Amino acid sequence: LLARNGLQPVQALAIGDRDLDVEAGRRAGMATCYFAPPDFPGGPLPPASAPDYTISTYGELAAILFGD
């Protein structure tokens, strides 16, 4: 996906709601963000793979992407 769009890993952020998503982003050399909304089925679980960011709202994502 990065190559197809002419991006370098440092230009992207991998976002997901599972440890698997975080790990895939990390292996691709990207910064990672774990998305765990408060109403997540079964409750938000902390990811085991230590993402760069953990968020629970789209507002938090906007702050990461565009600053406060």
Side-chain angles (χ1 to χ4, degrees):
L1 189 60
L2 292 170
R4 181 174 52 184
N5 290 290
L7 297 170
Q8 297 297 315
V10 297
Q11 297 174 293
L13 177 65
I15 304 168
D17 61 2
R18 298 174 296 168
D19 288 335
L20 157 66
D21 304 322
V22 172
E23 185 60 27
R26 187 161 316 286
R27 288 181 183 214
M30 301 164 57
T32 58
C33 180
Y34 178 66
F35 182 65
D39 60 348
F40 196 70
L45 301 174
S49 50
D52 296 295
Y53 305 96
T54 299
I55 61 170
S56 59
T57 68
Y58 291 113
E60 292 172 296
L61 177 60
I64 292 167
L65 297 176
F66 308 113
D68 291 328

